[in-house]
Amino acid sequence: MFKDDLSCGLHRCGPCASLASNNLGRKSNSGENRLVPGNHAVIVDAEGLMRFIDIFDFDLFQNVIITQNVWEFVKQKSVHTYKKLNKIIYEDKDPRFSVFMSEFHHKTFVRPEAYLTDAQRREKVLCVCAEYLNIHWAKDDILPVILCAESDVVARLKVHYEFSFTVKEYVQGCDGEENLYGMQSPKKCELLDSMAAYDTSAVDGKIIYENYLSHDEIDRGITQGTIKKGAFSVSRENYREAYVLVDPSTMTSWFVQGLNCNRAIDGDIVAVQLLPEHDWTVPEKKVCLRDVEDFEVKADDEVGNVEKDEEPMRKHAKLAAMPTAKVVGIMKRNWRPYCGILMRSQLKNARRHLFCPSNRLIPRIRIETEQADILENQRIVVSIDQWPRDSSYPLGHYVRALGKIGDREIENEVLLLEHDIPHAPFSDAVLDCLPDHNWKPELQLPRVDLRHLTVCSVGFTNC
């Protein structure tokens, strides 16, 4: 059932004032971006949020609108991005962000059509929402702007809505050479470094990995039984080998090796296709760990491959061979921010470096940064953005520095982050649930005051 009483989110919008607590537009961003005249709000597409979620922490981005269909898509495709957005909007109640219920509004709902793919429908919703808000805000002197991750998407949207830009174009359009919205030079470098991975992947354009099958082809293969899906588990003895549990009821796993891993990362839900039986093989009888390899950083490492990830020799012992498969698609990515160290390139003035995650099951990640001198001896956090077919490594961006390598507090934080143990400060909403500072415990028998002791509590099952 469609409605017309859903708030646009703008705080000074008269018709929507009584519908919700609106915060957009409280801080003016007029004149702060040369691409956009006057005050504006940005409607961000799903790819833009999933790729660049970390840069939205900067005050450069004001009046950010997330449409409902983008919210649902991000929730399905990127747990990390969804959790961060949920915290920003609903826990921290950041006034810079607002969710627009596009799927329930009678003027912005786009009916699914047979000729529209899901991606095309999401693009159409962006245009419809921008056009609606542009009319709705005509008297409020604020312009909706669409921001996307990909330039080809922007080219398609510009046909229907003029004020469409890539996220990078928007960042580059901000005024101020020495000071970017109050951010000093190091912060400016962080912002640009976060987006540098998308400029290029490999100079020579050599294709290393096969294309993934389309979703329709994968669904058809699963229905016919020629394709299976399961969790991708990298071997702890050899990072070039992995297993995919294709049948939990019988604990049947298929073996995946070398380039057949096709850019899958430990924990991803993948679609795998069994190879012909004469291509079946067995695991190599050797330990191959990333953190004990010898490295020779050569002059061509800037675009080349440090890890010699060549196809292992196929075993011909057919009696010992096990069902071997190749990854033909990624059903769900398990990417998250990773802790580790920077492996600095030995090339002079190099911007492209490798990041070595603390978790040895995760591949090295290529990032671009101009802060290598600062980050070289620190524990840092990096997020993966994409893994192109022509790149030996996934491409990512620097998120933040944790501190000096070897520092006890920093190493403790690395352990907490790597095991996804919440340790951030409690939000105001949580602190408000606590009793006031004058509260005292009731120490009536049989309760005993043990506050003078160091107590470790272990929670057993059903305890």
PDB file of all heavy atoms in Angstrom, residues 110-140:
ATOM      1  N   VAL A 110       8.930   2.514  -8.129  1.00  0.00           N
ATOM      2  CA  VAL A 110       9.162   2.078  -9.510  1.00  0.00           C
ATOM      3  C   VAL A 110       8.758   0.616  -9.609  1.00  0.00           C
ATOM      4  O   VAL A 110       9.350  -0.249  -8.958  1.00  0.00           O
ATOM      5  CB  VAL A 110      10.640   2.261  -9.918  1.00  0.00           C
ATOM      6  CG1 VAL A 110      10.882   1.683 -11.312  1.00  0.00           C
ATOM      7  CG2 VAL A 110      11.028   3.730  -9.874  1.00  0.00           C
ATOM      8  N   ARG A 111       7.765   0.364 -10.410  1.00  0.00           N
ATOM      9  CA  ARG A 111       7.244  -0.991 -10.527  1.00  0.00           C
ATOM     10  C   ARG A 111       8.258  -1.900 -11.234  1.00  0.00           C
ATOM     11  O   ARG A 111       8.795  -1.534 -12.280  1.00  0.00           O
ATOM     12  CB  ARG A 111       5.935  -0.980 -11.315  1.00  0.00           C
ATOM     13  CG  ARG A 111       5.185  -2.320 -11.295  1.00  0.00           C
ATOM     14  CD  ARG A 111       3.868  -2.192 -12.030  1.00  0.00           C
ATOM     15  NE  ARG A 111       3.042  -1.146 -11.448  1.00  0.00           N
ATOM     16  CZ  ARG A 111       2.298  -1.312 -10.361  1.00  0.00           C
ATOM     17  NH1 ARG A 111       2.289  -2.491  -9.742  1.00  0.00           N
ATOM     18  NH2 ARG A 111       1.567  -0.320  -9.896  1.00  0.00           N
ATOM     19  N   PRO A 112       8.547  -3.066 -10.674  1.00  0.00           N
ATOM     20  CA  PRO A 112       9.442  -4.012 -11.363  1.00  0.00           C
ATOM     21  C   PRO A 112       8.842  -4.440 -12.697  1.00  0.00           C
ATOM     22  O   PRO A 112       7.662  -4.779 -12.775  1.00  0.00           O
ATOM     23  CB  PRO A 112       9.528  -5.192 -10.389  1.00  0.00           C
ATOM     24  CG  PRO A 112       9.122  -4.637  -9.060  1.00  0.00           C
ATOM     25  CD  PRO A 112       8.120  -3.566  -9.353  1.00  0.00           C
ATOM     26  N   GLU A 113       9.640  -4.389 -13.722  1.00  0.00           N
ATOM     27  CA  GLU A 113       9.193  -4.786 -15.056  1.00  0.00           C
ATOM     28  C   GLU A 113      10.115  -5.872 -15.593  1.00  0.00           C
ATOM     29  O   GLU A 113      11.283  -5.959 -15.212  1.00  0.00           O
ATOM     30  CB  GLU A 113       9.204  -3.583 -16.006  1.00  0.00           C
ATOM     31  CG  GLU A 113       8.348  -2.406 -15.556  1.00  0.00           C
ATOM     32  CD  GLU A 113       6.853  -2.658 -15.727  1.00  0.00           C
ATOM     33  OE1 GLU A 113       6.493  -3.712 -16.291  1.00  0.00           O
ATOM     34  OE2 GLU A 113       6.059  -1.798 -15.301  1.00  0.00           O
ATOM     35  N   ALA A 114       9.590  -6.668 -16.498  1.00  0.00           N
ATOM     36  CA  ALA A 114      10.368  -7.779 -17.052  1.00  0.00           C
ATOM     37  C   ALA A 114      11.599  -7.284 -17.797  1.00  0.00           C
ATOM     38  O   ALA A 114      12.641  -7.951 -17.821  1.00  0.00           O
ATOM     39  CB  ALA A 114       9.488  -8.617 -17.981  1.00  0.00           C
ATOM     40  N   TYR A 115      11.495  -6.100 -18.407  1.00  0.00           N
ATOM     41  CA  TYR A 115      12.611  -5.588 -19.205  1.00  0.00           C
ATOM     42  C   TYR A 115      13.662  -4.879 -18.347  1.00  0.00           C
ATOM     43  O   TYR A 115      14.720  -4.498 -18.838  1.00  0.00           O
ATOM     44  CB  TYR A 115      12.101  -4.626 -20.283  1.00  0.00           C
ATOM     45  CG  TYR A 115      11.470  -3.363 -19.749  1.00  0.00           C
ATOM     46  CD1 TYR A 115      12.244  -2.233 -19.494  1.00  0.00           C
ATOM     47  CD2 TYR A 115      10.109  -3.304 -19.484  1.00  0.00           C
ATOM     48  CE1 TYR A 115      11.674  -1.077 -18.989  1.00  0.00           C
ATOM     49  CE2 TYR A 115       9.526  -2.147 -18.984  1.00  0.00           C
ATOM     50  CZ  TYR A 115      10.309  -1.041 -18.744  1.00  0.00           C
ATOM     51  OH  TYR A 115       9.745   0.104 -18.243  1.00  0.00           O
ATOM     52  N   LEU A 116      13.379  -4.699 -17.049  1.00  0.00           N
ATOM     53  CA  LEU A 116      14.310  -4.017 -16.150  1.00  0.00           C
ATOM     54  C   LEU A 116      15.060  -5.027 -15.291  1.00  0.00           C
ATOM     55  O   LEU A 116      14.439  -5.829 -14.588  1.00  0.00           O
ATOM     56  CB  LEU A 116      13.564  -3.047 -15.233  1.00  0.00           C
ATOM     57  CG  LEU A 116      13.103  -1.705 -15.789  1.00  0.00           C
ATOM     58  CD1 LEU A 116      12.339  -0.944 -14.715  1.00  0.00           C
ATOM     59  CD2 LEU A 116      14.279  -0.879 -16.276  1.00  0.00           C
ATOM     60  N   THR A 117      16.389  -4.994 -15.353  1.00  0.00           N
ATOM     61  CA  THR A 117      17.169  -5.791 -14.405  1.00  0.00           C
ATOM     62  C   THR A 117      17.122  -5.101 -13.045  1.00  0.00           C
ATOM     63  O   THR A 117      16.705  -3.942 -12.932  1.00  0.00           O
ATOM     64  CB  THR A 117      18.625  -5.928 -14.868  1.00  0.00           C
ATOM     65  OG1 THR A 117      19.241  -4.628 -14.857  1.00  0.00           O
ATOM     66  CG2 THR A 117      18.707  -6.521 -16.271  1.00  0.00           C
ATOM     67  N   ASP A 118      17.571  -5.803 -12.017  1.00  0.00           N
ATOM     68  CA  ASP A 118      17.580  -5.199 -10.683  1.00  0.00           C
ATOM     69  C   ASP A 118      18.449  -3.946 -10.658  1.00  0.00           C
ATOM     70  O   ASP A 118      18.097  -2.945 -10.026  1.00  0.00           O
ATOM     71  CB  ASP A 118      18.093  -6.212  -9.654  1.00  0.00           C
ATOM     72  CG  ASP A 118      17.098  -7.335  -9.402  1.00  0.00           C
ATOM     73  OD1 ASP A 118      15.916  -7.151  -9.740  1.00  0.00           O
ATOM     74  OD2 ASP A 118      17.511  -8.389  -8.877  1.00  0.00           O
ATOM     75  N   ALA A 119      19.594  -4.006 -11.343  1.00  0.00           N
ATOM     76  CA  ALA A 119      20.495  -2.849 -11.371  1.00  0.00           C
ATOM     77  C   ALA A 119      19.850  -1.671 -12.092  1.00  0.00           C
ATOM     78  O   ALA A 119      19.962  -0.514 -11.656  1.00  0.00           O
ATOM     79  CB  ALA A 119      21.812  -3.224 -12.042  1.00  0.00           C
ATOM     80  N   GLN A 120      19.163  -1.945 -13.199  1.00  0.00           N
ATOM     81  CA  GLN A 120      18.495  -0.874 -13.943  1.00  0.00           C
ATOM     82  C   GLN A 120      17.365  -0.258 -13.125  1.00  0.00           C
ATOM     83  O   GLN A 120      17.151   0.958 -13.170  1.00  0.00           O
ATOM     84  CB  GLN A 120      17.958  -1.425 -15.264  1.00  0.00           C
ATOM     85  CG  GLN A 120      19.048  -1.770 -16.272  1.00  0.00           C
ATOM     86  CD  GLN A 120      18.506  -2.509 -17.485  1.00  0.00           C
ATOM     87  OE1 GLN A 120      17.469  -3.181 -17.411  1.00  0.00           O
ATOM     88  NE2 GLN A 120      19.205  -2.404 -18.604  1.00  0.00           N
ATOM     89  N   ARG A 121      16.672  -1.090 -12.377  1.00  0.00           N
ATOM     90  CA  ARG A 121      15.593  -0.552 -11.539  1.00  0.00           C
ATOM     91  C   ARG A 121      16.161   0.341 -10.439  1.00  0.00           C
ATOM     92  O   ARG A 121      15.598   1.399 -10.136  1.00  0.00           O
ATOM     93  CB  ARG A 121      14.773  -1.686 -10.919  1.00  0.00           C
ATOM     94  CG  ARG A 121      13.615  -1.178 -10.063  1.00  0.00           C
ATOM     95  CD  ARG A 121      12.763  -2.305  -9.506  1.00  0.00           C
ATOM     96  NE  ARG A 121      11.675  -1.757  -8.710  1.00  0.00           N
ATOM     97  CZ  ARG A 121      11.763  -1.482  -7.409  1.00  0.00           C
ATOM     98  NH1 ARG A 121      12.894  -1.735  -6.759  1.00  0.00           N
ATOM     99  NH2 ARG A 121      10.735  -0.975  -6.757  1.00  0.00           N
ATOM    100  N   ARG A 122      17.295  -0.060  -9.841  1.00  0.00           N
ATOM    101  CA  ARG A 122      17.899   0.777  -8.805  1.00  0.00           C
ATOM    102  C   ARG A 122      18.316   2.128  -9.377  1.00  0.00           C
ATOM    103  O   ARG A 122      18.162   3.166  -8.724  1.00  0.00           O
ATOM    104  CB  ARG A 122      19.105   0.066  -8.181  1.00  0.00           C
ATOM    105  CG  ARG A 122      18.740  -1.086  -7.263  1.00  0.00           C
ATOM    106  CD  ARG A 122      19.922  -1.501  -6.400  1.00  0.00           C
ATOM    107  NE  ARG A 122      21.060  -1.938  -7.192  1.00  0.00           N
ATOM    108  CZ  ARG A 122      21.217  -3.177  -7.645  1.00  0.00           C
ATOM    109  NH1 ARG A 122      20.299  -4.096  -7.384  1.00  0.00           N
ATOM    110  NH2 ARG A 122      22.288  -3.508  -8.344  1.00  0.00           N
ATOM    111  N   GLU A 123      18.844   2.120 -10.605  1.00  0.00           N
ATOM    112  CA  GLU A 123      19.220   3.380 -11.247  1.00  0.00           C
ATOM    113  C   GLU A 123      17.990   4.247 -11.498  1.00  0.00           C
ATOM    114  O   GLU A 123      18.021   5.467 -11.283  1.00  0.00           O
ATOM    115  CB  GLU A 123      19.949   3.099 -12.564  1.00  0.00           C
ATOM    116  CG  GLU A 123      21.321   2.463 -12.388  1.00  0.00           C
ATOM    117  CD  GLU A 123      21.977   2.133 -13.717  1.00  0.00           C
ATOM    118  OE1 GLU A 123      21.511   2.659 -14.759  1.00  0.00           O
ATOM    119  OE2 GLU A 123      22.954   1.358 -13.736  1.00  0.00           O
ATOM    120  N   LYS A 124      16.921   3.620 -11.942  1.00  0.00           N
ATOM    121  CA  LYS A 124      15.699   4.374 -12.229  1.00  0.00           C
ATOM    122  C   LYS A 124      15.120   4.981 -10.956  1.00  0.00           C
ATOM    123  O   LYS A 124      14.630   6.118 -10.962  1.00  0.00           O
ATOM    124  CB  LYS A 124      14.669   3.462 -12.901  1.00  0.00           C
ATOM    125  CG  LYS A 124      13.444   4.202 -13.419  1.00  0.00           C
ATOM    126  CD  LYS A 124      12.549   3.291 -14.244  1.00  0.00           C
ATOM    127  CE  LYS A 124      11.346   4.063 -14.788  1.00  0.00           C
ATOM    128  NZ  LYS A 124      10.465   3.192 -15.610  1.00  0.00           N
ATOM    129  N   VAL A 125      15.192   4.238  -9.849  1.00  0.00           N
ATOM    130  CA  VAL A 125      14.686   4.758  -8.575  1.00  0.00           C
ATOM    131  C   VAL A 125      15.470   6.002  -8.162  1.00  0.00           C
ATOM    132  O   VAL A 125      14.889   6.976  -7.659  1.00  0.00           O
ATOM    133  CB  VAL A 125      14.765   3.676  -7.477  1.00  0.00           C
ATOM    134  CG1 VAL A 125      14.467   4.281  -6.105  1.00  0.00           C
ATOM    135  CG2 VAL A 125      13.783   2.549  -7.764  1.00  0.00           C
ATOM    136  N   LEU A 126      16.784   6.001  -8.374  1.00  0.00           N
ATOM    137  CA  LEU A 126      17.593   7.172  -8.037  1.00  0.00           C
ATOM    138  C   LEU A 126      17.096   8.402  -8.787  1.00  0.00           C
ATOM    139  O   LEU A 126      16.935   9.483  -8.205  1.00  0.00           O
ATOM    140  CB  LEU A 126      19.065   6.913  -8.369  1.00  0.00           C
ATOM    141  CG  LEU A 126      19.809   5.869  -7.528  1.00  0.00           C
ATOM    142  CD1 LEU A 126      21.213   5.669  -8.080  1.00  0.00           C
ATOM    143  CD2 LEU A 126      19.871   6.286  -6.071  1.00  0.00           C
ATOM    144  N   CYS A 127      16.856   8.244 -10.090  1.00  0.00           N
ATOM    145  CA  CYS A 127      16.386   9.369 -10.904  1.00  0.00           C
ATOM    146  C   CYS A 127      14.996   9.830 -10.476  1.00  0.00           C
ATOM    147  O   CYS A 127      14.737  11.037 -10.350  1.00  0.00           O
ATOM    148  CB  CYS A 127      16.371   8.977 -12.381  1.00  0.00           C
ATOM    149  SG  CYS A 127      17.989   8.949 -13.153  1.00  0.00           S
ATOM    150  N   VAL A 128      14.110   8.872 -10.252  1.00  0.00           N
ATOM    151  CA  VAL A 128      12.736   9.215  -9.865  1.00  0.00           C
ATOM    152  C   VAL A 128      12.733   9.957  -8.529  1.00  0.00           C
ATOM    153  O   VAL A 128      12.023  10.964  -8.360  1.00  0.00           O
ATOM    154  CB  VAL A 128      11.866   7.942  -9.795  1.00  0.00           C
ATOM    155  CG1 VAL A 128      10.515   8.245  -9.162  1.00  0.00           C
ATOM    156  CG2 VAL A 128      11.671   7.358 -11.186  1.00  0.00           C
ATOM    157  N   CYS A 129      13.525   9.493  -7.576  1.00  0.00           N
ATOM    158  CA  CYS A 129      13.588  10.151  -6.267  1.00  0.00           C
ATOM    159  C   CYS A 129      14.179  11.553  -6.385  1.00  0.00           C
ATOM    160  O   CYS A 129      13.691  12.499  -5.753  1.00  0.00           O
ATOM    161  CB  CYS A 129      14.414   9.312  -5.292  1.00  0.00           C
ATOM    162  SG  CYS A 129      13.601   7.795  -4.751  1.00  0.00           S
ATOM    163  N   ALA A 130      15.239  11.691  -7.187  1.00  0.00           N
ATOM    164  CA  ALA A 130      15.862  13.003  -7.362  1.00  0.00           C
ATOM    165  C   ALA A 130      14.887  13.985  -8.006  1.00  0.00           C
ATOM    166  O   ALA A 130      14.777  15.147  -7.580  1.00  0.00           O
ATOM    167  CB  ALA A 130      17.128  12.872  -8.199  1.00  0.00           C
ATOM    168  N   GLU A 131      14.173  13.528  -9.022  1.00  0.00           N
ATOM    169  CA  GLU A 131      13.213  14.400  -9.700  1.00  0.00           C
ATOM    170  C   GLU A 131      12.062  14.785  -8.772  1.00  0.00           C
ATOM    171  O   GLU A 131      11.614  15.939  -8.752  1.00  0.00           O
ATOM    172  CB  GLU A 131      12.679  13.697 -10.952  1.00  0.00           C
ATOM    173  CG  GLU A 131      13.731  13.554 -12.046  1.00  0.00           C
ATOM    174  CD  GLU A 131      13.292  12.623 -13.163  1.00  0.00           C
ATOM    175  OE1 GLU A 131      12.250  11.941 -12.986  1.00  0.00           O
ATOM    176  OE2 GLU A 131      13.979  12.571 -14.194  1.00  0.00           O
ATOM    177  N   TYR A 132      11.590  13.823  -7.982  1.00  0.00           N
ATOM    178  CA  TYR A 132      10.507  14.121  -7.041  1.00  0.00           C
ATOM    179  C   TYR A 132      10.953  15.138  -5.996  1.00  0.00           C
ATOM    180  O   TYR A 132      10.251  16.129  -5.722  1.00  0.00           O
ATOM    181  CB  TYR A 132      10.033  12.840  -6.356  1.00  0.00           C
ATOM    182  CG  TYR A 132       9.224  13.109  -5.107  1.00  0.00           C
ATOM    183  CD1 TYR A 132       7.928  13.620  -5.186  1.00  0.00           C
ATOM    184  CD2 TYR A 132       9.775  12.890  -3.843  1.00  0.00           C
ATOM    185  CE1 TYR A 132       7.196  13.897  -4.038  1.00  0.00           C
ATOM    186  CE2 TYR A 132       9.051  13.160  -2.693  1.00  0.00           C
ATOM    187  CZ  TYR A 132       7.765  13.667  -2.795  1.00  0.00           C
ATOM    188  OH  TYR A 132       7.052  13.951  -1.655  1.00  0.00           O
ATOM    189  N   LEU A 133      12.117  14.905  -5.383  1.00  0.00           N
ATOM    190  CA  LEU A 133      12.596  15.810  -4.340  1.00  0.00           C
ATOM    191  C   LEU A 133      12.917  17.191  -4.906  1.00  0.00           C
ATOM    192  O   LEU A 133      12.744  18.205  -4.218  1.00  0.00           O
ATOM    193  CB  LEU A 133      13.831  15.214  -3.658  1.00  0.00           C
ATOM    194  CG  LEU A 133      13.578  13.960  -2.805  1.00  0.00           C
ATOM    195  CD1 LEU A 133      14.889  13.390  -2.291  1.00  0.00           C
ATOM    196  CD2 LEU A 133      12.640  14.268  -1.641  1.00  0.00           C
ATOM    197  N   ASN A 134      13.379  17.246  -6.143  1.00  0.00           N
ATOM    198  CA  ASN A 134      13.670  18.536  -6.775  1.00  0.00           C
ATOM    199  C   ASN A 134      12.405  19.384  -6.870  1.00  0.00           C
ATOM    200  O   ASN A 134      12.425  20.598  -6.623  1.00  0.00           O
ATOM    201  CB  ASN A 134      14.265  18.303  -8.162  1.00  0.00           C
ATOM    202  CG  ASN A 134      14.928  19.546  -8.715  1.00  0.00           C
ATOM    203  OD1 ASN A 134      15.275  20.467  -7.978  1.00  0.00           O
ATOM    204  ND2 ASN A 134      15.110  19.584 -10.023  1.00  0.00           N
ATOM    205  N   ILE A 135      11.299  18.744  -7.210  1.00  0.00           N
ATOM    206  CA  ILE A 135      10.015  19.452  -7.275  1.00  0.00           C
ATOM    207  C   ILE A 135       9.493  19.746  -5.869  1.00  0.00           C
ATOM    208  O   ILE A 135       9.017  20.847  -5.575  1.00  0.00           O
ATOM    209  CB  ILE A 135       8.990  18.615  -8.069  1.00  0.00           C
ATOM    210  CG1 ILE A 135       9.458  18.444  -9.525  1.00  0.00           C
ATOM    211  CG2 ILE A 135       7.607  19.251  -8.020  1.00  0.00           C
ATOM    212  CD1 ILE A 135       8.618  17.471 -10.332  1.00  0.00           C
ATOM    213  N   HIS A 136       9.621  18.749  -4.994  1.00  0.00           N
ATOM    214  CA  HIS A 136       9.108  18.873  -3.620  1.00  0.00           C
ATOM    215  C   HIS A 136       9.821  19.987  -2.856  1.00  0.00           C
ATOM    216  O   HIS A 136       9.221  20.657  -2.003  1.00  0.00           O
ATOM    217  CB  HIS A 136       9.299  17.531  -2.908  1.00  0.00           C
ATOM    218  CG  HIS A 136       8.703  17.459  -1.540  1.00  0.00           C
ATOM    219  ND1 HIS A 136       7.340  17.432  -1.305  1.00  0.00           N
ATOM    220  CD2 HIS A 136       9.297  17.406  -0.309  1.00  0.00           C
ATOM    221  CE1 HIS A 136       7.113  17.358  -0.004  1.00  0.00           C
ATOM    222  NE2 HIS A 136       8.285  17.345   0.623  1.00  0.00           N
ATOM    223  N   TRP A 137      11.115  20.188  -3.169  1.00  0.00           N
ATOM    224  CA  TRP A 137      11.915  21.192  -2.468  1.00  0.00           C
ATOM    225  C   TRP A 137      12.047  22.501  -3.247  1.00  0.00           C
ATOM    226  O   TRP A 137      12.930  23.309  -2.959  1.00  0.00           O
ATOM    227  CB  TRP A 137      13.322  20.645  -2.203  1.00  0.00           C
ATOM    228  CG  TRP A 137      13.364  19.532  -1.202  1.00  0.00           C
ATOM    229  CD1 TRP A 137      12.426  19.208  -0.276  1.00  0.00           C
ATOM    230  CD2 TRP A 137      14.434  18.589  -1.033  1.00  0.00           C
ATOM    231  NE1 TRP A 137      12.827  18.120   0.465  1.00  0.00           N
ATOM    232  CE2 TRP A 137      14.065  17.719   0.028  1.00  0.00           C
ATOM    233  CE3 TRP A 137      15.657  18.391  -1.653  1.00  0.00           C
ATOM    234  CZ2 TRP A 137      14.873  16.676   0.461  1.00  0.00           C
ATOM    235  CZ3 TRP A 137      16.478  17.363  -1.225  1.00  0.00           C
ATOM    236  CH2 TRP A 137      16.080  16.515  -0.175  1.00  0.00           C
ATOM    237  N   ALA A 138      11.212  22.713  -4.227  1.00  0.00           N
ATOM    238  CA  ALA A 138      11.356  23.883  -5.104  1.00  0.00           C
ATOM    239  C   ALA A 138      11.376  25.191  -4.321  1.00  0.00           C
ATOM    240  O   ALA A 138      12.094  26.134  -4.682  1.00  0.00           O
ATOM    241  CB  ALA A 138      10.225  23.895  -6.128  1.00  0.00           C
ATOM    242  N   LYS A 139      10.618  25.269  -3.229  1.00  0.00           N
ATOM    243  CA  LYS A 139      10.546  26.505  -2.447  1.00  0.00           C
ATOM    244  C   LYS A 139      11.561  26.539  -1.309  1.00  0.00           C
ATOM    245  O   LYS A 139      11.630  27.532  -0.577  1.00  0.00           O
ATOM    246  CB  LYS A 139       9.139  26.666  -1.872  1.00  0.00           C
ATOM    247  CG  LYS A 139       8.049  26.805  -2.936  1.00  0.00           C
ATOM    248  CD  LYS A 139       6.685  26.964  -2.283  1.00  0.00           C
ATOM    249  CE  LYS A 139       5.586  27.102  -3.333  1.00  0.00           C
ATOM    250  NZ  LYS A 139       4.244  27.244  -2.704  1.00  0.00           N
ATOM    251  N   ASP A 140      12.327  25.483  -1.150  1.00  0.00           N
ATOM    252  CA  ASP A 140      13.231  25.393   0.001  1.00  0.00           C
ATOM    253  C   ASP A 140      14.693  25.635  -0.351  1.00  0.00           C
ATOM    254  O   ASP A 140      15.570  25.495   0.504  1.00  0.00           O
ATOM    255  CB  ASP A 140      13.092  24.015   0.667  1.00  0.00           C
ATOM    256  CG  ASP A 140      11.713  23.798   1.246  1.00  0.00           C
ATOM    257  OD1 ASP A 140      11.293  24.630   2.068  1.00  0.00           O
ATOM    258  OD2 ASP A 140      11.056  22.811   0.865  1.00  0.00           O
TER     259      ASP A 140
END
